[in-house]
Amino acid sequence: MSSQDTPQTSAGGSANDRVIIFDTTLRDGEQCPGASMTLDEKLQVAEVLDTMGVDVIEAGFPIASQGDFESVHEIAKRAKQAVIAGLSRASFKDIDRCAEAIKPAERRRIHTFISTSPIHMKHKLKMEPEAVLEAVIASVSRARGHVDDVEWSCEDGTRTDFEFLCRCVEGAINAGATTINIPDTVGYTTPEEYADLFRRVREAVPNADKAVFSVHCHDDLGMAVANSLAGIVGGARQIECTINGIGERAGNAALEELVMAIRTRNDVLPYFTNVDTTMLTRASKLVSAVTSFPVQYNKAIVGRNAFAHESGIHQDGMLKNNQTYEIMTPESVGVKSTSLVMGKHSGRHAFREKLKELGYELGDNALLDAFTRFKNLADRKKVVYDEDIEALIDDEILASYDRIQVVALTVIAGTSGPQRATLTLDIDGRHETREASGNGPVDATFNAIHAMVPHEAKLSLYQVHAVTEGTDAQAEVTVKLESAGRQFNGRGADPDTLVASARAYVHALNRLMSLRDRLHSQHSTATSA
Ligand code: KIV
Ligand code: ZN
């Protein structure tokens, strides 16, 4: 094993070196514009986080909506190892609702917060500092009435007056908070300043040793990961982060970067986490797929170029010894060397084994559908890579809950227009076919969808990328539809870009309709009650 592959373990490290990973992809991540996920998607993400060894999963903000409550509740029911946390403001109504949502979880946490900076207290809360301090004590006490594990956060902590911050922290710990989170809500701090803040607070607050301190950093100045690590050096032992760094504005600190920094630079960051790093790529791909937020090509750890060596000098060095330009191996983050998948003669058993290797476990019906699509793909594409299978399965999983499915598409394209599309959709089990023309084949295809499923949503994003190299590569299309101020993402994959486009559009439309159905049924229940 090369030195880059040496797994960082707890061996030799004391319990005090253990860093708790608190993932907030499903709360702070999901909260950012355009990243909303359906219940099924949240369940998939939660399952991956739980399996990969994340310690705490912040599953949502239960008071925010009925949908949020339900997803937190469902995740709480299914969690196997992780602590399930729900967020609440300082009000008793929020806290009680949160307690109800996380109830089914074996290990549960209430995370309650209030702003403590002068600007937030004055303009947002319109509260005097003393009233905020009272609210801190009352909210934490209320939460402790429900659970033993209570986290308290001072929103905009890094812009809070130091003396007041210390009084609030002391009050929260006295009231029973077991974790104290000091967020850099606006991404304003710097590494030295943040490390120092934790040192000073832990020194100044008399009961500081009774709680775990936590970092929570936003990336407005591109320092979220550096600040988080500095906070750990300053004495914090929990990091709040998200997969791919998604989150409000410029995002949160990226989980994969933090975990790999601790593992790779263990000489200067002598800590350890419980995360199975070989699942990082899988988690990144899943979050990207369900949010339709692409991962930038040069993104650290999980970008598609993170382990690519293009220049001749680098390639030469790598061939001689991979440690010349590689500080960690692709395998350590779950990137498998691109491997040839079975061809068109492969059987279902081999296909199931391949899926297992890639981390998918499908039921019999879903397996059969995926296998049929795989055969189809193998017939049309010279070489089928792992990435092709992953795109196909993600597409299959995403579409499996949809009421509307793409059945067939024929397009007439070329220089002499108008371009025409003939599309067949399965709508609630009934096949319907329409022909439409448009300004190009994509437009014609989308017009055919519109003719069968009339809607007022606007197309706000249409994006295509190739899953692998070569002209026969599968196209992965992302579509965003906007309706009444909300965004609905859709994704589709196919060697034919137009089929992938139709799938992506229909997928986004399904999400829009499923939200409408949910709102409609809530409204009917409310009016009949
Ligand atoms: O950024 C922030 O301050 C937050 C809190 C709610 C923890 O997300
Ligand atoms: Zn935040």
Side-chain angles (χ1 to χ4, degrees), residues 27-28 216 218 252:
R27 200 278 297 169
D28 223 347
H216 177 116
H218 283 266
N252 290 58

Side-chain angles (χ1 to χ4, degrees), residues 223-441:
M223 291 191 280
V225 168
N227 287 338
S228 302
L229 294 171
I232 297 299
V233 173
R237 285 296 177 269
Q238 173 177 285
I239 306 183
E240 303 196 355
C241 47
T242 60
I243 300 289
N244 295 339
I246 64 167
E248 288 280 2
R249 306 180 310 278
N252 290 58
L255 181 149
E256 60 280 2
E257 295 179 23
L258 291 156
V259 167
M260 286 312 287
I262 291 174
R263 178 184 154 128
T264 309
R265 291 310 311 273
N266 212 239
D267 51 336
V268 287
L269 296 166
Y271 313 105
F272 65 96
T273 73
N274 189 40
V275 171
D276 173 0
T277 62
T278 63
M279 288 188 69
L280 290 172
T281 299
R282 166 100 195 89
S284 164
K285 283 190 176 166
L286 176 64
V287 169
S288 171
V290 299
T291 56
S292 298
F293 270 35
V295 175
Q296 85 196 48
Y297 283 4
N298 60 334
K299 160 94 177 59
I301 317 297
V302 290
R304 72 150 62 172
N305 287 356
F307 295 94
H309 301 275
E310 198 63 41
S311 92
I313 295 174
H314 286 206
Q315 283 178 350
D316 181 55
M318 284 293 290
L319 288 171
K320 288 175 178 145
N321 182 333
N322 61 358
Q323 290 187 38
T324 49
Y325 288 101
E326 221 167 57
I327 57 167
M328 54 200 158
T329 62
E331 292 76 21
S332 65
V333 301
V335 176
K336 291 168 205 83
S337 39
T338 313
S339 60
L340 196 63
V341 167
M342 317 76 58
K344 60 180 168 183
H345 300 298
S346 314
R348 203 174 334 156
H349 180 71
F351 183 66
R352 190 197 290 266
E353 287 308 303
K354 185 75 206 172
L355 291 188
K356 262 198 203 144
E357 186 193 315
L358 295 173
Y360 296 100
E361 205 71 69
L362 299 189
D364 286 345
N365 288 345
L367 180 75
L368 193 62
D369 289 349
F371 184 63
T372 309
R373 275 186 73 179
F374 158 71
K375 284 290 212 187
N376 209 327
L377 183 65
D379 267 342
R380 297 158 72 192
K381 194 170 182 296
K382 266 189 270 163
V383 182
V384 181
Y385 295 102
D386 286 356
E387 289 93 327
D388 286 312
I389 302 257
E390 283 168 346
L392 186 151
I393 300 299
D394 287 340
D395 193 52
E396 194 67 35
I397 292 174
L398 289 177
S400 57
Y401 304 100
D402 289 349
R403 279 176 52 197
I404 308 173
Q405 308 265 351
V406 173
V407 177
L409 174 69
T410 311
V411 176
I412 300 171
T415 46
S416 48
Q419 288 75 20
R420 302 198 69 78
T422 308
L423 177 69
T424 304
L425 294 179
D426 180 318
I427 306 175
D428 294 327
R430 206 169 25 82
H431 282 198
E432 211 176 299
T433 302
R434 279 295 158 86
E435 196 183 312
S437 60
N439 186 13

